[in-house]
Amino acid sequence: MYQYNFFNEICSAYKFLIPEIGLFLSIILGIIALFFTKNKKSNFNIIISLFIVTISLIYSLKLIPNKNFQDILIFNDLYSINYLTYVIKLIILAALLGIHIFSLLMPKEKNFINRFGIAELSVLINFSALGALFAVSSNNFIILYISLELQALSSYILVANKKDDLKSNEAALKYFVLGVLSSGLMLYGVSLIYMNTGSFSFEKIYYLLNNQNNLFSTLTMTGIVMVICALCFKLSAAPFHSWLADVYEGAHNVVVAFFGIIPKIMAAYIIYKLYHYVFTGEYLIYTTKIISIFIVMSLIIGSISAIKQKNFKRFLAYSAVANSGFVLLAILGSIDQASQALIIYFIAYMLGFYGLIGFAMFYWSENYQEHNNYEINSMHGLNKIYPSISIIIAFCLFSIAGIPPFIGFWGKLNILLAGISNLYFSLIIIALLTSVISLIYYLKIIKIMYFANNLYHEQNQHIAHHKNLQYKNIVIFYGITLIIGSFIWLII
Amino acid sequence: MINYEYLLSLNIFSPLIGTLLIAIILLFANYNKQQNQLENNFARIWPNIIGLIFASIPILITSLLWLKNSIFTEKHLLAKNIFEYYLEVDGISILMLMLSSFICIICLITFWLNKNYSKKHPSLGVMLILALQTCCLGVFSAKDLILFYIFFEASLIPMLFIIGIWGRENRVYASLKLFIYTVFGSIFFLFVIIYLKTIFQSSNPEILAPLIANLSPNWQNILWVCMFIAFAIKVPTIPFHTWLPDAHVQAPTFGSIILAGVLIKMGGYAMIRFLIPMFPESTEFFSHFVCILSVVGIIYGSLLCIAQKDLKKLIAYSSVAHMGYVNLGIFAPCSFGYAGAVFQMISHGFISSALFLSVGIIYDRLHSLEIIKIHSLSTKMPFLAITFMIFTLGSVGLPGTSGFIGEFLVIFNAANRSSYLIYAILGATGVILGAIYMLILYKNIFFKHQENINTIGDDVNYQTNLHTSKKENIILSIFAIMIIYFGLYPKPILEKIQNIKNIKYFNCSQNLDIQKINNKNEVKN
């Protein structure tokens, strides 16, 4: 007789839980390793996480389920696994891999307190990613809230890492207050939905909301709006984007790399799931309208605010806001096209974004510059100093801007195909026009790097040519993967 | 050999392979900052050799394809639902492929001949020219809309860098204007592509053409306008031409050569290949409008040329004027207008590239492009004077040069229908205006002698030897010979133009079908 308990469930479905199990194992080993680290140095810890994450990634790549895979529901309908969640977990794991590689190889700051390398921080990143993994697979609002909180609480601490830096403290405080506010908003929205339906499970809510006996209820709509707003906060869609610029500017670069991808994928998938599977039926029109408003605001605010930015990281933040507008546009499409567009767009965005953050990590570290100020103007004449790296930055920028033949174009093409499938013409036109506007600031960086004015040139010549071979090889290897990535995708 | 399955892809991507090889070589080279050049000798020589080899591979393959008079296709299904990698090379495409591969080699040689350009980032220049060659070859071979769009947009990136790095004082403004203006137009093209892809699940113009006829006429007109904007910016049609003078004036010589020789032709080619077969009814609806724009382009462009003081800007505006003939040929309805348009594209490719090459030689010697300051070049640079005369006659459209045939076919085609006769008349007056500015220019540069002045251009001593070198002579004479050869014997080109599938163009009321002319020739022979 089949006895339902925790152990049985895991045994039957363990193949598909490898990402979570692997990550949990790395957290436990990391915490144990904390007792053995000397002077809070943490290379050992990062290596552990790296190792286990790599193994779980490779092992789970072999077990990708079929596209027509049915939903598996385990743990008494609390947890769902299907093809899409699996792929997104793999993307999150791959992003995590990149983050650990960054934290291992980046040049260490002289000021020890500001350094990212204190042992517990890699464990915190793993916790946050674990929260993201749980949230992606959640089938129940309670589990969703718990995993979102797990992800958020770890990230509050991560932002506040640089204790000596005023900007970091400001960013952490702002993010904490706004994040807690959005979590509270989500909880209230969930409670309103519960009031009308009496259940937290996604499937039951869908069934109960579209029951003939249940009429359209404004309170449920309010609850839905609140849940979507809280998730858009995580996605940094406008008008919930104000935390992003400060967090990018204040946090450590590894944390920025974390924030650029993982909360966004998680939130995008959850909004996709809620939009297509839970809040459909009668509520679809209104949900679409709300998301359309967010799309238009994100695109316009994101592309226009980035034009005047002088700080590299704030510039990245506002381009991320515009990109989250695109992500929301993908969600509005039909189910198949939306999922495909999300996956491709996030892979493309991850590659481009990690290139830019990796460059920011090395170029503005204390080994290379006296001032740690991340000013775009200090990139003048980069073509003469580091030609290969400036080409890679140009590739990353063109990829994020969506210019063919780079991989970012395929992402944008898929999103536009998904967005137009329900004939939302005005959204498509706004998206296309804002992508032309966003070209202004992407080209501005390329202009500063390549078409340099001679004045600024001489100021940069004093930068010592450090023979940091690690750095150069990584970036070159990265460039190769980016170029190959734009063509290999066609074969998939 | 000719039936090798991947021949067309090899044709397109062989310059890209050269780019990657040069990049790999540069990875292993060390850069000496004090001397501002690469330390290793092999890193200085090998990129040039690789560049030359991989830039000439397309010419060899294209010549192979030229010899066989058939339509080549290559079709692969990639990325399942999104994208079909469909290449097709028929008569018009082969001509444009030959033109682009030839002009790219000339561009590369010009880059090496000019020491000012090749001292500054030499290997980057070779890589950019090779990448540009790939994009040009891809544009003219692509049949699928998305593939065409990829190459169409990708050709802007090397152009951005070429103008921005090696250009003149205002180069940043010119390169950014070129890029953003053209991308803005292509956005509308992308909108049409994704709309058609969503509604009809196909991006193949052959499949789409009968399906589009089911849409309502209003929608067809809207889609036509969106697509037309994208190509009109590239042609350039007035009023979307303002990027061209800036881009040409600020661009280096080799940039101007490839911009005027190849990149501009993408617009006209796209109109023939995609716009008209897919939207024939809308084209008829808008044909008068476009003919007016093209005639305005011819006359306004020529009038602007008469008033120019800068040599390069003058030739840039003459490009605008000549491309007006292309537009007129495509949109005035009769069956051989497009033949005139294609011939005009090819001959203008040669003539304007040759003109920009000559202007580049003048700028290199005299360091100034103001017509007032330049004088007495017929005694100082005699070989250039001879060849520049041939280029001038070609630009004017003298019978015997290739410029005449294109213009003649276009004007004759427009005159065949009574409602389009006015455009033929105005186009013919454009020929006269062309003669005015080109001959006045020639007189002012070459025949004007100023005896009291000891300097030519910007402080170049009158006694300095300004003769063109042997290599430059060879290239100039190649251009001159081709212009005269195709002016006297246009049959190879016109033959290729007939080698297309039966795409529905306009119906001509007088049945002057090229197929029938061809049949008559065969009967006679």
Side-chain angles (χ1 to χ4, degrees):
Chain A
M1 183 165 132
Y2 177 71
Q3 272 187 344
Y4 170 77
N5 62 22
F6 186 74
F7 192 60
N8 273 346
E9 286 274 352
I10 294 235
C11 280
S12 61
Y14 78 96
K15 273 190 298 189
F16 307 109
L17 290 177
I18 284 185
E20 288 93 333
I21 295 177
L23 204 53
F24 193 60
L25 200 62
S26 76
I27 291 176
I28 292 183
L29 284 178
I31 296 181
I32 294 178
L34 279 179
F35 294 109
F36 298 105
T37 54
K38 264 192 210 177
N39 297 333
K40 291 206 162 194
K41 287 195 188 146
S42 71
N43 276 352
F44 183 54
N45 214 338
I46 302 177
I47 292 177
I48 290 181
S49 337
L50 202 59
F51 188 59
I52 296 184
V53 168
T54 322
I55 290 185
S56 45
L57 189 62
I58 294 176
Y59 197 34
S60 43
L61 271 173
K62 293 186 193 161
L63 296 172
I64 294 184
N66 203 4
K67 222 174 192 176
N68 301 326
F69 197 66
Q70 293 289 338
D71 248 25
I72 287 186
L73 298 175
I74 57 176
F75 300 131
N76 200 18
D77 282 3
L78 288 180
Y79 208 77
S80 85
I81 298 173
N82 59 11
Y83 170 74
L84 193 57
T85 62
Y86 205 76
V87 170
I88 288 186
K89 283 182 199 175
L90 289 182
I91 297 178
I92 294 181
L93 274 187
L96 204 59
L97 197 68
I99 293 171
H100 284 306
I101 293 178
F102 276 150
S103 64
L104 191 63
L105 293 171
M106 65 170 295
K108 314 285 185 201
E109 280 97 341
K110 292 171 191 148
N111 190 355
F112 185 76
I113 297 182
N114 285 349
R115 186 182 294 195
F116 187 87
I118 300 181
E120 55 262 16
L121 290 172
S122 67
V123 177
L124 275 173
I125 283 192
N126 285 344
F127 259 121
S128 200
L130 188 66
L133 290 183
F134 285 149
V136 162
S137 285
S138 63
N139 206 23
N140 191 318
F141 270 120
I142 297 280
I143 299 292
L144 181 65
Y145 180 73
I146 292 176
S147 28
L148 282 182
E149 281 301 291
L150 174 62
Q151 189 264 328
L153 283 174
S154 320
S155 49
Y156 299 148
I157 305 177
L158 286 171
V159 175
N161 173 40
K162 291 191 194 174
K163 302 191 189 71
D164 265 1
D165 193 6
L166 272 180
K167 280 188 192 164
S168 176
N169 296 343
E170 169 194 353
L173 205 58
K174 281 186 187 174
Y175 179 46
F176 176 71
V177 170
L178 290 174
V180 167
L181 191 64
S182 80
S183 295
L185 199 67
M186 168 155 189
L187 209 52
Y188 189 43
V190 169
S191 73
L192 284 177
I193 299 177
Y194 177 73
M195 186 185 78
N196 207 7
T197 55
S199 158
F200 288 113
S201 160
F202 285 174
E203 293 174 335
K204 284 191 187 145
I205 289 177
Y206 169 67
Y207 176 68
L208 290 167
L209 280 181
N210 295 316
N211 213 356
Q212 292 155 342
N213 303 329
N214 221 345
L215 301 170
F216 176 82
S217 149
T218 319
L219 277 175
T220 319
M221 193 67 225
T222 318
I224 294 176
V225 169
M226 286 186 182
V227 168
I228 292 185
C229 287
L231 289 169
C232 283
F233 172 84
K234 283 270 179 283
L235 186 61
S236 73
F240 310 107
H241 67 289
S242 34
W243 58 276
L244 196 70
D246 292 307
V247 164
Y248 271 35
E249 192 179 4
H252 198 270
N253 286 323
V254 176
V255 176
V256 172
F258 175 80
F259 267 105
I261 304 293
I262 293 183
K264 288 204 196 331
I265 293 188
M266 170 190 80
Y269 177 70
I270 296 170
I271 298 180
Y272 161 82
K273 185 159 188 178
L274 292 178
Y275 179 79
H276 282 288
Y277 291 101
V278 181
F279 298 141
T280 53
E282 289 177 30
Y283 297 89
L284 189 66
I285 314 172
Y286 305 97
T287 331
T288 313
K289 280 189 189 165
I290 291 167
I291 296 187
S292 316
I293 298 176
F294 290 161
I295 291 175
V296 171
M297 286 182 74
S298 306
L299 288 171
I300 295 181
I301 293 181
S303 41
I304 294 185
S305 309
I307 297 180
K308 278 286 193 178
Q309 293 298 327
K310 298 199 179 78
N311 192 327
F312 189 71
K313 293 216 274 186
R314 287 190 87 93
F315 154 79
L316 279 181
Y318 282 112
S319 84
V321 172
N323 279 317
S324 47
F326 267 99
V327 167
L328 283 177
L329 183 62
I331 291 175
L332 285 189
S334 63
I335 290 187
D336 301 323
Q337 285 186 316
S339 52
Q340 192 177 14
L342 277 180
I343 295 174
I344 297 172
Y345 186 73
F346 269 117
I347 294 178
Y349 184 65
M350 180 168 79
L351 288 174
F353 186 74
Y354 275 7
L356 293 174
I357 281 288
F359 163 73
M361 268 190 226
F362 291 99
Y363 189 64
W364 282 290
S365 66
E366 285 161 4
N367 295 340
Y368 290 88
Q369 297 249 8
E370 286 153 13
H371 315 289
N372 206 2
N373 57 1
Y374 296 98
E375 269 192 20
I376 296 185
N377 281 335
S378 63
M379 283 167 67
H380 266 283
L382 204 62
N383 181 33
K384 300 272 172 75
I385 310 176
Y386 296 117
S388 50
I389 289 157
S390 48
I391 284 194
I392 291 171
I393 299 171
F395 283 170
C396 291
L397 286 171
F398 281 130
S399 170
I400 297 184
I403 306 284
F406 300 107
I407 192 172
F409 166 69
W410 294 102
K412 286 233 162 118
L413 184 69
N414 272 309
I415 287 186
L416 292 170
L417 283 173
I420 209 172
S421 60
N422 287 331
L423 301 180
Y424 299 122
F425 286 130
S426 43
L427 289 177
I428 296 284
I429 292 176
I430 293 179
L432 288 171
L433 289 176
T434 48
S435 65
V436 175
I437 296 179
S438 64
L439 264 183
I440 300 178
Y441 48 83
Y442 291 128
L443 287 181
K444 189 173 82 165
I445 294 190
I446 293 181
K447 169 189 91 169
I448 289 179
M449 282 200 297
Y450 278 91
F451 315 149
N453 204 356
N454 286 326
L455 257 184
Y456 288 98
H457 236 156
E458 277 135 27
Q459 288 178 8
N460 279 343
Q461 292 292 346
H462 75 279
I463 295 177
H465 181 58
H466 279 260
K467 289 214 174 139
N468 200 347
L469 287 175
Q470 250 179 359
Y471 157 45
K472 200 171 183 184
N473 284 343
I474 290 170
V475 179
I476 293 171
F477 168 73
Y478 189 85
I480 297 175
T481 52
L482 193 67
I483 301 170
I484 295 179
S486 44
F487 292 107
I488 277 194
W489 178 79
L490 293 174
I491 308 181
I492 295 176
Chain B
M1 179 63 187
I2 293 190
N3 288 329
Y4 174 53
E5 191 187 340
Y6 297 108
L7 194 62
L8 290 177
S9 297
L10 193 65
N11 192 16
I12 297 178
F13 287 112
S14 48
L16 197 67
I17 299 175
T19 314
L20 291 174
L21 285 177
I22 296 180
I24 294 177
I25 288 182
L26 287 182
L27 277 183
F28 296 110
N30 294 321
Y31 190 68
N32 194 343
K33 277 197 207 119
Q34 274 84 38
Q35 296 173 16
N36 213 22
Q37 54 180 332
L38 294 164
E39 276 178 357
N40 315 7
N41 260 339
F42 80 90
R44 267 185 271 175
I45 302 177
W46 274 102
N48 297 338
I49 301 180
I50 290 181
L52 196 58
I53 296 177
F54 281 94
S56 5
I57 289 183
I59 273 218
L60 299 173
I61 300 183
T62 320
S63 319
L64 271 176
L65 296 173
W66 178 289
L67 293 172
K68 189 168 183 189
N69 209 19
S70 73
I71 301 179
F72 303 93
T73 61
E74 179 182 336
K75 197 172 177 180
H76 305 290
L77 207 56
L78 294 178
K80 296 165 210 167
N81 296 331
I82 302 288
F83 179 56
E84 189 186 43
Y85 181 79
Y86 195 173
L87 300 172
E88 185 178 84
V89 170
D90 64 359
I92 305 179
S93 304
I94 262 273
L95 291 170
M96 308 307 297
L97 285 178
M98 274 300 253
L99 175 74
S100 51
S101 32
F102 173 67
I103 297 279
C104 282
I105 293 186
I106 300 285
C107 181
L108 205 54
I109 297 177
T110 313
F111 177 68
W112 285 323
L113 283 180
N114 194 337
K115 289 302 171 195
N116 292 338
Y117 298 140
S118 53
K119 285 290 182 207
K120 195 179 177 186
H121 301 285
S123 32
L124 183 65
V126 178
M127 282 166 63
L128 285 172
I129 296 177
L130 288 179
L132 196 52
Q133 188 173 9
T134 302
C135 299
C136 297
L137 294 171
V139 160
F140 294 125
S141 318
K143 190 173 169 93
D144 189 66
L145 276 173
I146 298 183
L147 189 63
F148 178 82
Y149 182 80
I150 292 176
F151 286 120
F152 195 69
E153 288 282 287
S155 68
L156 290 174
I157 300 179
M159 210 58 224
L160 171 81
F161 284 113
I162 286 178
I163 298 183
I165 298 182
W166 287 276
R168 292 162 66 196
E169 314 86 35
N170 230 0
R171 58 186 187 264
V172 172
Y173 169 72
S175 58
L176 291 182
K177 188 175 184 180
L178 164 84
F179 196 87
I180 296 182
Y181 210 144
T182 316
V183 168
F184 173 73
S186 312
I187 288 293
F188 293 100
F189 185 31
L190 186 63
F191 172 69
V192 173
I193 293 178
I194 56 178
Y195 177 76
L196 293 175
K197 177 103 189 159
T198 312
I199 301 247
F200 299 123
Q201 272 88 43
S202 160
S203 55
N204 190 352
E206 260 179 5
I207 301 180
L208 281 175
L211 293 176
I212 290 177
N214 294 333
L215 291 175
S216 73
N218 277 336
W219 253 124
Q220 284 188 40
N221 288 345
I222 293 177
L223 293 177
W224 186 94
V225 168
C226 290
M227 244 171 124
F228 178 71
I229 290 179
F231 302 142
I233 292 182
K234 198 80 178 176
V235 165
T237 323
I238 293 208
F240 305 116
H241 69 290
T242 49
W243 60 272
L244 188 78
D246 281 314
H248 268 134
V249 169
Q250 307 298 332
T253 314
F254 64 98
S256 285
I257 288 178
I258 199 162
L259 179 61
V262 183
L263 292 186
I264 288 183
K265 316 300 185 265
M266 289 183 190
Y269 175 81
M271 286 191 199
I272 296 179
R273 182 64 92 196
F274 297 110
L275 186 61
I276 297 184
M278 276 165 53
F279 298 97
E281 290 146 8
S282 301
T283 315
E284 263 189 74
F285 183 73
F286 283 107
S287 63
H288 274 281
F289 172 64
V290 181
C291 287
I292 294 176
L293 283 183
S294 52
V295 162
V296 166
I298 297 173
I299 297 186
Y300 181 60
S302 313
L303 287 176
L304 279 174
C305 287
I306 304 179
Q308 287 302 324
K309 302 179 185 120
D310 186 277
L311 182 57
K312 210 161 186 188
K313 210 163 187 183
L314 193 152
I315 308 209
Y317 276 114
S318 81
S319 276
V320 174
H322 284 292
M323 295 313 282
Y325 284 107
V326 171
N327 255 344
L328 186 61
I330 299 175
F331 282 94
C334 206
S335 331
F336 56 91
Y338 74 93
V342 171
F343 197 98
Q344 171 74 346
M345 281 202 282
I346 293 173
S347 88
H348 178 255
F350 287 131
I351 293 174
S352 71
S353 303
L355 282 172
F356 278 113
L357 180 61
S358 324
V359 168
I361 292 175
I362 294 177
Y363 182 63
D364 186 34
R365 302 285 193 277
L366 307 179
H367 310 299
S368 162
L369 281 178
E370 296 179 43
I371 300 182
I372 305 177
K373 291 190 183 170
I374 305 176
H375 59 90
S376 63
L377 282 187
S378 62
T379 48
K380 289 307 212 173
M381 300 163 110
F383 197 86
L384 186 66
I386 302 175
T387 49
F388 200 93
M389 189 49 167
I390 300 179
F391 304 149
T392 305
L393 296 175
S395 179
V396 164
L398 193 78
T401 58
S402 62
F404 167 70
I405 299 177
E407 290 175 4
F408 171 72
L409 279 175
V410 162
I411 295 177
F412 185 40
N413 169 55
N416 258 331
R417 260 202 159 169
S418 56
S419 48
Y420 292 85
L421 185 62
I422 181 73
Y423 306 123
I425 297 176
L426 291 172
T429 59
V431 177
I432 303 177
L433 290 172
I436 296 178
Y437 65 78
M438 280 312 284
L439 294 176
I440 291 181
L441 169 73
Y442 192 87
K443 178 205 83 166
N444 275 334
I445 296 184
F446 287 94
F447 289 150
K448 176 177 72 176
H449 287 263
Q450 296 184 1
E451 279 134 16
N452 299 333
I453 301 183
N454 269 335
T455 59
I456 313 179
D458 253 353
D459 302 324
V460 172
N461 196 354
Y462 195 82
Q463 309 300 326
T464 324
N465 186 12
L466 292 174
H467 284 236
T468 50
S469 65
K470 273 188 194 162
K471 299 174 195 167
E472 288 165 347
N473 287 348
I474 296 177
I475 301 180
L476 288 170
S477 41
I478 291 178
F479 272 121
I481 293 175
M482 300 205 79
I483 292 175
I484 298 184
Y485 178 73
F486 284 121
L488 295 174
Y489 187 59
K491 186 178 174 203
I493 297 184
L494 287 177
E495 217 174 36
K496 287 290 175 192
I497 297 180
Q498 301 168 23
N499 182 22
I500 55 171
K501 286 185 188 170
N502 280 332
I503 314 174
K504 178 186 176 188
Y505 288 102
F506 293 113
N507 286 327
C508 186
S509 61
Q510 291 187 11
N511 272 339
L512 278 170
D513 216 339
I514 281 204
Q515 303 280 343
K516 289 200 173 173
I517 299 177
N518 206 15
N519 292 339
K520 279 186 206 162
N521 282 339
E522 284 176 0
V523 163
K524 279 182 194 169
N525 290 339

